[in-house]
Amino acid sequence: MAHTPYGYRIENGIAVIDEEKAEKVRNLYKGYLSGLSLSVAAKTAGIDAYHGTAGRMLRNERYLGDDYYPAIIDKETYEKAEAERVKRAKKLGRIFEPKKEDKPTISKNFTIGQVIQKYANPFTQAEYVYSEVQQDGS
């Protein structure tokens, strides 16, 4: 069974809002939007979480509500928190744009010198034909 997000509980197979915890989630968003760090906003809201856990909570779209979970926060608050998170990450240099990698050039023009020696074993023949050192002594 999947993990139930903080702020909800399951009753008779239906997700319902746990108002006490949901208020803490709302306070987490408010604290973060007021300028607090993730861990301080969580602590102020009464949630015992490190900054990584608090950050994942802020990015959890289930708090907006869906077919199974009722909404705890509104879309505007969620979008403001996400914009603030991206702004802070850019300011701290934590957004890394992937560099465009040059595609390697693969040569398809191969030439094989004149085959002088013939071997019965196909592996030995291939080794001879594709070797860098000419077998004719040159």
Side-chain angles (χ1 to χ4, degrees):
M1 185 169 166
H3 174 73
T4 305
Y6 189 86
Y8 297 102
R9 68 177 181 273
I10 307 300
E11 291 181 359
N12 300 322
I14 299 170
V16 295
I17 295 174
D18 181 333
E19 278 305 324
E20 181 182 330
K21 290 181 179 178
E23 190 58 34
K24 291 179 180 181
V25 171
R26 292 182 196 105
N27 288 334
L28 170 67
Y29 278 87
K30 287 176 190 173
Y32 185 71
L33 289 172
S34 72
L36 298 176
S37 69
L38 288 168
S39 56
V40 174
K43 186 176 181 179
T44 303
I47 301 171
D48 184 27
Y50 294 106
H51 72 276
T53 304
R56 282 189 293 282
M57 288 176 72
L58 286 179
R59 292 188 307 274
N60 191 341
E61 292 183 356
R62 290 187 183 107
Y63 292 133
L64 292 171
D66 59 21
D67 293 339
Y68 187 72
Y69 292 101
I72 289 179
I73 59 162
D74 59 275
K75 189 171 180 79
E76 181 183 355
T77 303
Y78 179 85
E79 288 174 351
K80 282 181 181 179
E82 182 61 15
E84 180 66 20
R85 187 189 66 78
V86 169
K87 182 181 105 179
R88 291 184 191 186
K90 282 182 181 178
K91 184 178 179 182
L92 294 171
R94 293 184 178 157
I95 302 252
F96 300 103
E97 299 290 331
K99 295 180 181 178
K100 286 190 175 185
E101 294 183 19
D102 294 331
K103 291 185 178 180
T105 305
I106 300 172
S107 177
K108 296 179 183 174
N109 299 325
F110 297 103
T111 57
I112 298 176
Q114 185 179 5
V115 177
I116 299 170
Q117 184 71 36
K118 300 280 184 183
Y119 293 95
N121 183 325
F123 294 105
T124 307
Q125 184 68 39
E127 185 178 286
Y128 163 74
V129 171
Y130 293 108
S131 67
E132 293 181 1
V133 178
Q134 293 292 324
Q135 299 294 324
D136 62 2
S138 58

